[in-house]
Amino acid sequence: MSESIHAIVDPTGCRTEARTPKGQPITLDADPPEGRDSAAGPKETVLAALAGCAAADVASILRKKRQSAATYEIDVRGESAGEHPRVFTAITIEHQVTGEVEPEALRRSIELSATRYCPVNAMLSASVEIEHRYRLTAADGSEHAALVARTGPSGTRVE
């Protein structure tokens, strides 16, 4: 399977207008002084891709488990090296869910995404450790939080 992106780069700056094979636009820009900061930066979009990939997996698995989330948000934080190329040195992804969701169903859904289904996580885990966490506020008001897994170049550890 092959995937491709076509991009047009503004020769006076670092703004890039890309299109997927289906025509969906992706706009990127660099921070000043190189760019104009008019769109998300490339590293920010990597974190957004991780959030989108994991969210699609977890939401789908929760539906199959007949779990009813009222809200679902993801917070992804990346720590970067101080020297160029300033790669991510650690990433934390936290799934924030409210509703009629059992903690074990959410934990298992995140585990499956992190260890089996999310290709973005698999690619990033080849070079950086990623912590997968959740915060759940159940329908009865009880709160649950846990570290689910760590994936990275040294392997996967399920908590």
Side-chain angles (χ1 to χ4, degrees), residues 2-6 19-21:
S2 175
E3 296 186 36
S4 66
I5 296 286
H6 178 76
R19 293 241 173 235
T20 69

Side-chain angles (χ1 to χ4, degrees), residues 48-61 72 74 76 93 95 109-110 113-114 118-121 132:
L50 177 59
C53 186
D57 291 340
V58 171
S60 174
I61 296 166
Y72 181 15
I74 292 183
V76 181
I93 179 168
H95 303 259
S109 298
I110 294 167
S113 174
C118 179
V120 176
N121 182 76
H132 304 265

